[in-house]
Amino acid sequence: MKQHTLALLAAALALAYGGPVQAQSNEELLKELRALKERVTQLEDKLKTAEAKNAKPSEAQWGMTPEQVREFNRIAVKTEALEDSQEALGLKNLKITGFIDPTFIANKAQNTAGFQLLNKDAYAYDAGYFGMALLDFQKEMDGGTRYKLTLAPDRGTGSVFNGGSIVHEASVNIPLGDLQTRLWVGQIPDWTGYEMTAPPLNKLITHNLLFDYTAPTAYTGAVADITRGKWMIKAGLANVNNSRKSAGNKTPALVYRVDYAKGEFQGFGFTGLHGKAYNYATDALDGSGALRFADQAGKDTRVDMLEIDAYFIRGDFTWQGQLSWGRQRHAAIFNEDGQLRDASWSGLSTLMAYKFIPRWEVTGRLDYLRNSKNGGGLFGYSYDDSHNGIGRGNGFFWDEANPDPDTAGKGANRYALSLGLSYLLNQNTIWKLEYRYDGASLPVFLNTKDGSFTKTNQLLGTSMVLSF
């Protein structure tokens, strides 16, 4: 057996040295075997050294020491645990933003000057959506569904039409097949015009006349939201300016908006509303304090509105414009003779802004609103309003003994010129200053100092918009 083993070793030596091994003693064979073993060990060490030099970073734990690898693994496990906890609590992909814009307004005709912030006042150019504190929650699910809840106490859409609700928007946006085709459901702020509701996106403090008086406040319903290339389309059925329909009113309105973005800095859009909405003229009182149209009270009437807007930005220069037309059946202000007449209106607004220094911007806006037919009347305004300059002016009074249908049937046309200056303190803070001159074709502004009526009014305001 021993001789057989030595023969095999001899054969191995022959292979290792490339030739036959001459006859040797057992001691010599063992000596050669030890030398061969040492050589094999040296070759293995060289191979390991070469493999270590050619190893990829990932195979070498990115060049980290064992202690660093353990620390990395600990952080990875902790991060995964935090992510699991965030998802379990519903915080995954949750975005929270908001702003506050304390505003100081001086109103000449109203003889007032003071801060406006979360304080109630008429919904109009001297209250509008400024003086807000808004909190916005947005969450997107893994499948692309988006939830949005926006809260704005005493401001926003809910405070206008829904009994002082703090909800400005409550909606869910669901993808249908792909992320470019969606179903939008809930309470959705109106999308008419070029001006944005939120002060951080509005160049001036106040809004234009068309925004304040001819546009809906919000929609409660379902809307298809489709994006195809440069085209963005929204269309659906909704209650207009109502969270729910009252008894006897069953018809939602068709609402839509189409936008075309030719490029990042220019585009146009148009909107429409066709259907029924609440008619405030049917709540008119007669001389005794009873409803003049008790059989019509609370009934929605037909509304048709069309609007087109556009924008153009070139360097530091911005131009925006809007044209609007609308009418509502049986909603005119003149109804003292027992007849419900149609209200109709049309108007335009244009804005230009220029950044003469990167952080400084000057803005000018001009508005005109034609509203003289049937004593006036606008969407949501079916009565004389001396606070905001709507209607027939001069404190109009219908004298049953000596009626004056000519004067009663003539409403005021309105215009406004606004000049503004803004300064960007940082990415989250904007300071604004605005002077506004309002005018009308009739003396419709009440001067609270002496009870007289004038054709003009002036406003001076400043605000600080802080967002996060």
Side-chain angles (χ1 to χ4, degrees):
M1 183 69 179
K2 184 176 181 181
Q3 294 296 328
H4 180 66
T5 300
L6 290 174
L8 290 175
L9 290 173
L13 287 170
L15 290 174
Y17 287 99
V21 180
Q22 298 179 355
Q24 302 178 56
S25 65
N26 290 345
E27 289 75 9
E28 291 175 337
L29 286 173
L30 291 174
K31 185 178 180 181
E32 294 291 342
L33 182 59
R34 292 190 185 97
L36 176 62
K37 183 178 179 181
E38 291 177 359
R39 185 175 180 186
V40 169
T41 301
Q42 292 174 357
L43 291 173
E44 287 178 346
D45 292 341
K46 289 182 179 181
L47 181 61
K48 289 180 181 179
T49 302
E51 288 178 347
K53 289 182 179 180
N54 296 328
K56 296 181 179 179
S58 60
E59 296 173 349
Q61 292 293 342
W62 304 285
M64 294 188 294
T65 66
E67 291 77 10
Q68 290 174 328
V69 171
R70 287 193 294 271
E71 180 66 13
F72 175 82
N73 291 335
R74 185 188 68 81
I75 294 173
V77 171
K78 187 174 182 179
T79 302
E80 290 178 358
L82 290 173
E83 290 177 348
D84 292 342
S85 176
Q86 186 183 47
E87 184 171 5
L89 293 173
L91 301 177
K92 184 179 180 181
N93 295 330
L94 177 64
K95 181 181 179 182
I96 303 176
T97 58
F99 67 84
I100 186 171
D101 73 320
T103 303
F104 185 90
I105 294 291
N107 188 323
K108 182 179 180 181
Q110 291 297 306
N111 193 28
T112 61
F115 285 96
Q116 290 199 241
L117 180 66
L118 305 183
N119 48 359
K120 294 183 179 294
D121 201 349
Y123 167 65
Y125 79 88
D126 59 342
Y129 287 112
F130 58 79
M132 299 176 70
L134 182 145
L135 193 59
D136 182 77
F137 302 85
Q138 297 183 53
K139 180 177 174 62
E140 183 168 355
M141 308 299 289
D142 290 338
T145 299
R146 300 169 184 166
Y147 297 87
K148 184 176 176 67
L149 176 63
T150 309
L151 306 178
D154 288 326
R155 290 291 188 266
T157 63
S159 64
V160 176
F161 72 85
N162 197 20
S165 168
I166 67 171
V167 177
H168 178 68
E169 178 176 356
S171 65
V172 59
N173 199 305
I174 307 167
L176 301 176
D178 62 80
L179 298 179
Q180 304 302 311
T181 305
R182 294 176 168 272
L183 178 63
W184 199 4
V185 183
Q187 178 180 306
I188 305 166
D190 173 61
W191 49 53
T192 303
Y194 67 84
E195 287 188 339
M196 300 293 104
T197 301
L201 301 176
N202 186 24
K203 291 184 178 296
L204 294 168
I205 299 174
T206 68
H207 289 92
N208 69 71
L209 290 174
L210 307 185
F211 179 99
D212 278 338
Y213 301 122
T214 72
T217 300
Y219 313 113
T220 304
V223 173
D225 188 350
I226 303 170
T227 301
R228 293 292 184 271
K230 298 180 179 180
W231 291 93
M232 293 164 284
I233 303 169
K234 301 180 182 72
L237 297 175
N239 302 335
V240 180
N241 292 359
N242 287 107
S243 57
R244 65 181 180 88
K245 288 286 188 178
S246 57
N249 298 311
K250 307 173 184 178
T251 308
L254 170 65
V255 296
Y256 55 89
R257 178 172 182 93
V258 178
D259 286 285
Y260 177 76
K262 186 177 181 181
E264 184 179 357
F265 303 108
Q266 56 183 315
F268 70 89
F270 62 90
T271 68
L273 186 158
H274 309 282
K276 291 187 176 182
Y278 192 81
N279 182 358
Y280 291 91
T282 60
D283 291 340
L285 301 176
D286 62 18
S288 66
L291 286 175
R292 182 176 292 119
F293 307 99
D295 59 328
Q296 299 290 327
K299 289 187 177 180
D300 293 350
T301 59
R302 174 81 184 195
V303 179
D304 292 283
M305 292 195 293
L306 294 171
E307 177 270 345
I308 183 170
D309 53 75
Y311 66 93
F312 176 81
I313 302 173
R314 180 62 59 85
D316 296 324
F317 174 78
T318 298
W319 172 83
Q320 296 170 319
Q322 177 182 349
L323 293 170
S324 297
W325 169 89
R327 66 182 180 188
Q328 183 172 11
R329 294 290 305 275
H330 299 164
I333 294 176
F334 177 26
N335 54 43
E336 286 85 357
D337 61 353
Q339 297 184 48
L340 284 169
R341 296 172 173 84
D342 296 345
S344 65
W345 59 87
S346 59
L348 63 87
S349 175
T350 186
L351 176 148
M352 289 185 288
Y354 182 72
K355 291 183 179 179
F356 57 94
I357 298 177
R359 290 177 180 265
W360 287 93
E361 185 173 36
V362 60
T363 303
R365 184 183 64 208
L366 179 63
D367 311 322
Y368 179 76
L369 182 59
R370 184 176 179 274
N371 186 39
S372 60
K373 186 177 181 181
N374 293 330
L378 296 161
F379 191 61
Y381 273 83
S382 302
Y383 53 89
D384 296 307
D385 183 356
S386 59
H387 184 67
N388 298 301
I390 304 297
R392 295 167 289 191
N394 278 322
F396 177 83
F397 174 74
W398 178 262
D399 187 350
E400 292 285 354
N402 300 289
D404 185 359
D406 291 336
T407 303
K410 187 176 182 180
N413 296 323
R414 287 274 272 108
Y415 62 90
L417 172 64
S418 298
L419 300 175
L421 182 68
S422 65
Y423 176 69
L424 181 66
L425 277 76
N426 53 55
Q427 292 301 316
N428 304 102
T429 308
I430 304 173
W431 171 77
K432 298 180 183 179
L433 176 69
E434 179 182 349
Y435 167 77
R436 173 164 170 158
Y437 183 89
D438 277 87
S441 59
L442 297 173
V444 288
F445 294 100
L446 173 64
N447 189 331
T448 58
K449 287 184 179 180
D450 56 15
S452 63
F453 285 82
T454 67
K455 292 184 178 182
T456 63
N457 188 26
Q458 298 180 63
L459 177 149
L460 182 65
T462 183
S463 70
M464 186 75 74
V465 184
L466 302 99
S467 56
F468 66 92

